[in-house]
């Protein structure tokens, strides 16, 4: 486990990469980062789908830089406290899912399962793709699995 550096509270780039500080918890920072993304999903869910996806795309590309910069500054590739990737992954999981607390919770659980267990090709990407893009892409892949699961669940119910 990596302890969160003091710079999380002093440097805006680190604060954002650490999910507004949610990644600074001493245990399960990815879980807390995903939880911190839920209120933003609530707000984003009110937008038309095109705007939602556009903002999430901006968050993804911005996240590549945020995560790369923070990782480089800390000297630790994919520090466990860097959770901006969980924010984006959760938001992708919830794309086109109407907001309800049940859906938000279900999306949280499904995304965390795929993010933690990393079925192929997620684990492959996590181990072989470096830099900010590498930090972000495994969560995008986990989100693709989770998004598919969410939409299948909604289609069946």
């Amino acid at each position: 486990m990596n302890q969160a550096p003091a710079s999380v509270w002093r440097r805006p780039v680190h604060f954002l990469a650490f999910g507004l500080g949610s990644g600074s918890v001493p245990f399960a920072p990815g879980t807390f980062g995903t939880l911190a993304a839920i209120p933003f999903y609530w707000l984003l869910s009110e937008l038309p789908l095109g705007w939602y996806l556009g903002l999430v795309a901006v968050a993804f590309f911005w996240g590549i830089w945020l995560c790369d910069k923070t990782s480089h500054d800390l000297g630790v590739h994919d520090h466990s406290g860097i959770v901006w990737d969980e924010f984006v992954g959760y938001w992708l999981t919830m794309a086109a899912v109407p907001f309800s607390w049940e859906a938000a919770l279900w999306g949280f659980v499904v995304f965390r399962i795929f993010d933690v267990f990393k079925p192929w090709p997620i684990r492959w990407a996590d181990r072989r793709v470096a830099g900010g893009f590498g930090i972000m892409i495994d969560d995008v892949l986990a989100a693709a699995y989770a998004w598919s699961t969410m939409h299948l669940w909604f289609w069946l119910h």
Side-chain angles (χ1 to χ4, degrees):
M1 175 173 49
N2 296 320
Q3 183 175 359
S7 65
V8 168
W9 309 109
R10 292 192 311 260
R11 299 196 60 199
V13 170
H14 295 188
F15 182 70
L16 289 170
F18 272 65
L20 308 177
S22 63
S24 66
V25 297
F27 61 94
T31 297
F32 281 91
T34 307
L35 283 171
I38 292 173
F40 295 97
Y41 158 62
W42 186 14
L43 295 171
L44 288 167
S45 70
E46 296 296 318
L47 296 172
L49 183 58
W51 279 97
Y52 182 101
L53 294 174
L55 286 172
V56 174
V58 168
F60 169 75
F61 288 109
W62 191 33
I64 293 171
W65 178 81
L66 281 175
C67 295
D68 190 64
K69 172 80 173 129
T70 302
S71 183
H72 183 267
D73 289 351
L74 300 179
V76 178
H77 175 67
D78 204 0
H79 186 290
S80 63
I82 296 174
V83 296
W84 186 259
D85 50 333
E86 272 80 10
F87 273 49
V88 172
Y90 179 74
W91 296 335
L92 285 170
T93 296
M94 302 308 292
V97 175
F99 183 84
S100 72
W101 289 109
E102 178 185 17
L105 178 61
W106 176 240
F108 167 80
V109 169
V110 172
F111 173 69
R112 291 305 302 148
I113 288 170
F114 286 113
D115 191 33
V116 169
F117 290 104
K118 299 185 186 316
W120 188 89
I122 302 166
R123 185 173 310 279
W124 179 89
D126 185 51
R127 292 180 177 168
R128 290 181 175 81
V129 183
F133 182 75
I135 294 170
M136 295 294 296
I137 196 62
D138 68 303
D139 289 81
V140 168
L141 293 170
Y145 278 107
W147 182 87
S148 298
T149 301
M150 291 293 292
H151 284 273
L152 180 62
W153 181 70
F154 274 104
W155 181 68
L156 293 174
H157 287 92

